[in-house]
Amino acid sequence: MLQGLAELGHAYLGFLNPLTLAYGLGGAFVGIIMGILPGLSATLAIALLTTLTIKLQTNDAILVLICSYVGALYGGSRTAILLNIPGTAANAASCADGYALAKKGQAGRAIGIATSGAFVSTLFGVLCLATFTPVLAEVALSFGAFEFFWLALFGVTMSGSIVGQDPLKGWLMGMFGLFLAQVGQEGLYAHDRFTFGWDELAGGFALIPALVGAFGLAEVLTTLADPIERKIMDLKDSVLPRWREIAQYWRTVLRSGVIGVFTGLLPGVGEDAGSWMSYAAAKAVSKEKEQFGKGSIDGLMAAETGDMASVPGHIIPCLALGIPGSAPSAVLMAAMIIHGVQPGPMLMIQHPTFIYEVVAMTTLASFTILLFGLFGVRPLLHVLKVPRAILMPIVFLLCVVGAYATASRLFDVYAMLAIGTAAFFLRRRGYEMAPLVLGLVLGHLLDKSLRRGLVLSDGSLLPFFTRPICMVFAAVTLFTILLYVPGFKAGVNWMRRALVQGFKALLPRRG
Amino acid sequence: MQDASPPTAEVEPPADEPITARGDLTDAACWIALGIAILVGSITMDRLEQQHINPYTVPGLLPGLLGIMMIVLGGILALRSMRRGALHLAPPPPSAHDRERWRRIWVVTALCLGYGVVLIGHGLPFWLASTIYVTGSILIIQRMSRDPAERRRTQTPKAWAKALTIGLSSSVITHLVFQEFFLVRLP
């Protein structure tokens, strides 16, 4: 415990130098700009910055990426408030109340609330990150091939179930992502799979070009496909952070912080789930339910704190288990691997101080957004006035550079183009990209774990279902899938009603 | 110049094209076909018997299982779409807004593919290829605008000069920042 605190203190002190602070501010600046621009996501911001920071020291590079991650989500709420378009998917829940406040001439107040909520909830998430990551990493040391098999499958299943409107399409995308990860040389015998004799495919699909395609090119196409260009609301009042509202709605902040961190722990679920769940929970307990969607401070606070608290939440499983909580954290994980840090159970042994350094980086990220919230909101919003006809070709130019730069392979540019174009058309048909990304990340782990597990058990499937942690993962995974079978769902509902009625029947007797 | 206030911002855009049951049925057929292809590819994949590997570790094991899952899930999607009337309900005819959107999609896709496949990596310097792409894209996208004034503006030498300046400056800045400052190789 004391050693952990000492490591943490050391990590904080290590970041107190002008160059590091400049890197942090630079990362947050790029992240906020990317977040403000509708359609450009935190994933794209991190992917592009990964290539730009490839020659930096590990800690400086990861600091830039974490600051851009936090900055992008923070910047996205400005667009939600002023334009009624979420800057990133995570800010969708802020649209209704934020835009309603802007229409009442309180856009500055809404932005101030978003700034203070984002700052406080990120700090709350950082506290959870510092507390839970070492504990989870300790537990993960007992994981073997059987547990990792279920963990990977659980991640893809949960992601498919929760992200988007249609779990069936989510699972199909998850399967497709897992399949894409199988292309190229497999991990046990270096045998080429589905390469059709094409040497370029032997290396498989790299994560960063795939993500730049799915979240960059697809967004460029989406933005430019719309014949209508929207205009932003006027910003008349002060945009300074509103601490009074934080004190007034402290219950909402705390509740949304807990929900945000909890949803962050679920693999591949994404920041938007934290935001929507916090919003729904705030509405459920609010005394002013009718105000939700019409400019409720409570609603805006819940949405903003929920999504920002989920950022450190997503980093927890990424560091401790090597399982990313969201698409941006998947790129962050890939960047860590590029810089020689392998996230997962062995992280605490191989790089014992790294977790504390990430805690310090995330803390610094929360202060950078506060700084930009205090001094940089109005100037940064000018970027929204740049016509998309000018902005989007430049964004695509950066996408090409981002796809190429990590490995200097033209094949990666072609992969980005193919995946991006496919992602655009798939999204129009209701298919979400997050399960695909998670499948692509977890495909190797699932393959190796399945085959190693079968070797260890000599072909028996029993250990996959009888080991304690496996039993929990298997039960939750199968339950999640079966919930979409009408007969099973009806049975669960019937059982739930029966339990509730039975419980209610017991209460008067006690009285 | 003086005649146009853009008719864009006040008009609430119509909803995106609805996802139809027939569309889902087409998707299901594609998923099933992909699943079958993956399954066949996995079954016919080398089992490395000459290397005497453990038979439970054959390379095609997981891809085969994924192929089966795609066939099953695709089958469920097909059944669901048929229950929702995929075989009986005709898709709604495309509106003018949809046609305009599709025209924009094809043009923008062609621009992006042209840049990524044709201009890049075939001997043309990166900054020149990027300048051509950015300048051309700005002019073409502005030309597709709903605002007649903006469309007319693209025909003026000033608009061409502005697009060229933006194209050239963005390409040169990208080149300098990535290649010279951060030492990242460019195509």
Side-chain angles (χ1 to χ4, degrees):
Chain A
M1 178 73 180
L2 281 177
Q3 193 193 349
L5 283 174
E7 299 278 12
L8 190 58
H10 192 257
Y12 278 118
L13 287 174
F15 286 102
L16 291 179
N17 69 73
L19 187 63
T20 308
L21 293 174
Y23 280 135
L25 284 170
F29 176 79
V30 175
I32 292 172
I33 295 282
M34 295 285 260
I36 285 176
L37 293 171
L40 303 189
S41 57
T43 313
L44 184 64
I46 304 172
L48 291 178
L49 283 172
T50 299
T51 58
L52 199 64
T53 56
I54 213 153
K55 297 279 164 68
L56 293 184
Q57 295 282 324
T58 303
N59 277 1
D60 290 338
I62 303 300
L63 171 69
V64 170
L65 302 184
I66 288 179
C67 287
S68 68
Y69 186 2
V70 174
L73 291 190
Y74 168 70
S77 63
R78 263 104 283 260
T79 324
I81 291 164
L82 294 171
L83 211 58
N84 200 22
I85 301 173
T88 68
N91 307 108
S94 307
C95 278
D97 292 303
Y99 191 66
L101 280 168
K103 282 205 289 191
K104 290 177 188 170
Q106 298 179 31
R109 186 184 182 203
I111 288 175
I113 290 166
T115 301
S116 47
F119 175 69
V120 172
S121 59
T122 312
L123 281 185
F124 176 78
V126 168
L127 194 69
C128 297
L129 176 68
T131 315
F132 296 135
T133 313
V135 178
L136 192 59
E138 195 80 26
V139 174
L141 278 175
S142 62
F143 281 22
F146 307 104
E147 285 80 10
F148 275 113
F149 168 81
W150 278 112
L151 192 60
L153 204 58
F154 169 76
V156 175
T157 311
M158 287 300 286
S159 180
S161 306
I162 295 175
V163 178
Q165 307 289 323
D166 191 341
L168 193 53
K169 291 182 176 177
W171 294 333
L172 276 163
M173 288 303 278
M175 294 299 129
F176 189 50
L178 287 170
F179 167 70
L180 285 182
Q182 309 309 311
V183 176
Q185 283 190 347
E186 47 90 32
L188 292 187
Y189 307 109
H191 179 73
D192 284 352
R193 290 191 292 206
F194 304 104
T195 58
F196 308 105
W198 192 11
D199 290 343
E200 296 280 15
L201 267 181
F205 292 102
L207 185 65
I208 289 185
L211 290 176
V212 169
F215 292 91
L217 173 56
E219 287 297 351
V220 169
L221 292 174
T222 305
T223 307
L224 290 177
D226 194 346
I228 294 163
E229 188 160 9
R230 302 198 194 196
K231 286 187 171 176
I232 66 168
M233 298 290 288
D234 287 334
L235 191 57
K236 293 168 187 162
D237 54 338
S238 167
V239 296
L240 289 177
R242 309 295 168 121
W243 306 113
R244 189 179 296 168
E245 272 93 349
I246 290 281
Q248 190 182 347
Y249 293 98
W250 68 271
R251 284 188 186 85
T252 302
V253 173
L254 189 63
R255 186 192 323 109
S256 306
V258 171
I259 292 172
V261 171
F262 176 73
T263 51
L265 289 171
L266 298 174
V269 167
E271 295 81 8
D272 45 338
S275 179
W276 281 115
M277 284 185 194
S278 304
Y279 188 80
K283 191 175 180 182
V285 297
S286 174
K287 289 172 187 166
E288 301 166 337
K289 287 187 181 65
E290 69 286 350
Q291 284 300 311
F292 276 67
K294 296 172 187 167
S296 163
I297 305 293
D298 204 3
L300 180 63
M301 187 73 84
E304 278 303 306
T305 47
D307 72 348
M308 293 306 290
S310 70
V311 173
H314 285 309
I315 299 175
I316 296 172
C318 174
L319 290 176
L321 304 170
I323 306 279
S326 61
S329 63
V331 200
L332 191 64
M333 201 174 101
M336 288 175 190
I337 295 167
I338 288 171
H339 284 280
V341 178
Q342 178 67 51
M346 296 302 284
L347 183 68
M348 283 296 275
I349 293 163
Q350 290 166 343
H351 303 275
T353 59
F354 187 71
I355 287 176
Y356 301 108
E357 284 157 1
V358 170
V359 171
M361 292 173 198
T362 320
T363 313
L364 186 60
S366 63
F367 278 97
T368 57
I369 59 167
L370 180 66
L371 208 62
F372 279 108
L374 283 169
F375 304 112
V377 172
R378 283 178 195 274
L380 289 180
L381 285 173
H382 285 296
V383 76
L384 279 174
K385 292 177 182 164
V386 180
R388 60 185 177 166
I390 293 173
L391 202 63
M392 288 299 143
I394 298 172
V395 170
F396 181 66
L397 160 71
L398 294 174
C399 289
V400 170
V401 173
Y404 179 82
T406 34
S408 301
R409 290 196 308 173
L410 264 182
F411 172 77
D412 286 336
V413 176
Y414 302 146
M416 180 273 289
L417 289 169
I419 291 173
T421 313
F424 168 72
F425 288 105
L426 282 166
R427 274 169 42 171
R428 289 175 65 83
R429 299 178 84 88
Y431 294 91
E432 292 289 336
M433 289 302 116
L436 176 101
V437 170
L438 204 68
L440 197 55
V441 174
L442 297 179
H444 297 289
L445 181 70
L446 187 73
D447 182 42
K448 276 187 187 176
S449 304
L450 173 66
R451 293 195 283 162
R452 280 181 183 158
L454 284 173
V455 170
L456 289 171
S457 67
D458 199 22
S460 168
L461 290 176
L462 269 183
F464 284 95
F465 294 94
T466 50
R467 289 164 66 105
I469 297 171
C470 289
M471 281 167 72
V472 175
F473 277 128
V476 176
T477 307
L478 294 175
F479 186 79
T480 307
I481 295 169
L482 288 172
L483 263 184
Y484 295 94
V485 177
F488 185 81
K489 191 177 179 182
V492 170
N493 285 337
W494 177 83
M495 201 176 286
R496 197 179 62 187
R497 276 196 303 273
L499 279 172
V500 170
Q501 281 170 2
F503 186 67
K504 279 181 182 169
L506 282 174
L507 284 179
R509 284 181 209 166
R510 281 185 184 174
Chain B
M1 289 288 230
Q2 66 273 31
D3 60 340
S5 60
T8 54
E10 291 75 20
V11 184
E12 198 61 30
D16 210 345
E17 289 164 57
I19 298 156
T20 60
R22 188 166 289 191
D24 276 355
L25 188 59
T26 316
D27 292 355
C30 294
W31 286 115
I32 292 171
L34 180 65
I36 291 170
I38 293 170
L39 185 59
V40 170
S42 307
I43 291 169
T44 54
M45 195 178 286
D46 193 346
R47 291 174 197 177
L48 306 178
E49 282 153 337
Q50 71 281 14
Q51 292 182 29
H52 306 293
I53 65 162
N54 188 313
Y56 300 119
T57 62
V58 290
L61 179 64
L62 182 67
L65 293 174
L66 292 174
I68 293 170
M69 284 305 296
M70 274 188 203
I71 295 167
V72 171
L73 292 174
I76 295 170
L77 185 64
L79 284 175
R80 194 184 71 178
S81 64
M82 282 191 270
R83 281 177 59 183
R84 290 179 181 175
L87 297 176
H88 310 292
L89 297 173
S95 64
H97 185 84
D98 292 336
R99 280 194 294 274
E100 187 184 353
R101 179 179 280 160
W102 274 108
R103 191 167 61 87
R104 294 178 67 97
I105 289 170
W106 293 126
V107 170
V108 175
T109 308
L111 285 170
C112 293
L113 292 180
Y115 174 56
V117 178
V118 181
L119 288 177
I120 287 289
H122 299 291
L124 210 58
F126 173 78
W127 66 269
L128 182 59
S130 303
T131 304
I132 294 169
Y133 163 71
V134 175
T135 308
S137 295
I138 291 172
L139 289 171
I140 290 169
I141 295 165
Q142 282 178 341
R143 182 91 188 114
M144 289 191 299
S145 171
R146 277 190 174 183
D147 179 8
E150 195 175 340
R151 282 204 301 273
R152 270 199 300 278
R153 271 199 293 274
T154 57
Q155 295 164 355
T156 62
K158 193 180 164 190
W160 282 66
K162 187 181 168 190
L164 183 63
T165 310
I166 295 167
L168 188 64
S169 54
S170 58
S171 307
V172 171
I173 290 170
T174 307
H175 174 84
L176 290 175
V177 169
F178 276 81
Q179 192 142 305
E180 308 299 330
F181 190 67
F182 283 97
L183 307 175
V184 175
R185 283 187 64 190
L186 292 176

